[in-house]
Amino acid sequence: MDKNPTIRTVINKIDDVGEENQFRTFKYEVLAGPDDMDVEVKEQDCTFKFDYSKVYWNSRLGTEHHRLVSKFKSGEAVCDVMAGVGPFALPAAKKKVWVWANDLNPESYKSLVANAGRNK
């Protein structure tokens, strides 16, 4: 944290993703900083805000998000049935793609709607 001042909290996952519940969240322990899992991530000219302890997010999928969205063309239609907080749906919508997005996790859906509003 002293080398990267933008990092506030460091955690250790103490179970596998999805082991805790159907929403692919996980138990964790705080190694440093406050137990504050509200994050802001920027990807593909979008800002995503969410509570990392309540939704699924994998930063390693950023390249895949970009690869897939780059194939969409304006006017096409996309249905994202496991949209999470919106890493496919929102960049696609910015390209004037018709997007229908939803998620089983109510917290993910809440963040998706809020992120859609902030990334118009």
Side-chain angles (χ1 to χ4, degrees):
M1 291 171 40
D2 59 332
K3 304 227 184 298
N4 188 337
T6 62
I7 296 174
R8 298 183 327 257
T9 302
V10 178
I11 65 166
N12 178 41
K13 293 180 184 178
I14 54 177
D15 68 3
D16 292 331
V17 171
E19 195 171 283
E20 182 174 316
N21 64 49
Q22 64 191 3
F23 301 137
R24 301 194 70 198
T25 58
F26 53 86
K27 293 180 183 169
Y28 65 93
E29 63 181 341
V30 175
L31 300 177
D35 188 0
D36 176 7
M37 301 297 278
D38 289 327
V39 300
E40 182 177 306
V41 179
K42 296 185 188 217
E43 186 178 288
Q44 296 189 77
D45 197 33
C46 291
T47 301
F48 301 94
K49 293 183 180 183
F50 52 90
D51 182 336
Y52 188 60
S53 69
K54 295 179 180 177
V55 304
Y56 177 78
W57 176 269
N58 185 339
S59 295
R60 293 183 203 162
L61 293 175
T63 301
E64 182 65 4
H65 297 153
H66 178 59
R67 184 191 71 79
L68 190 57
V69 171
S70 71
K71 295 181 179 295
F72 301 152
K73 293 180 179 51
S74 178
E76 291 182 330
V78 173
C79 185
D80 189 352
V81 296
M82 293 180 273
V85 300
F88 289 109
L90 301 184
K94 279 189 157 190
K95 291 179 69 172
K96 307 292 187 217
V97 172
W98 290 95
V99 178
W100 287 268
N102 203 348
D103 199 277
L104 182 64
N105 182 341
E107 289 295 328
S108 292
Y109 182 74
K110 185 170 99 177
S111 294
L112 171 66
V113 171
N115 288 329
R118 85 174 42 87
N119 285 287
K120 287 186 175 191

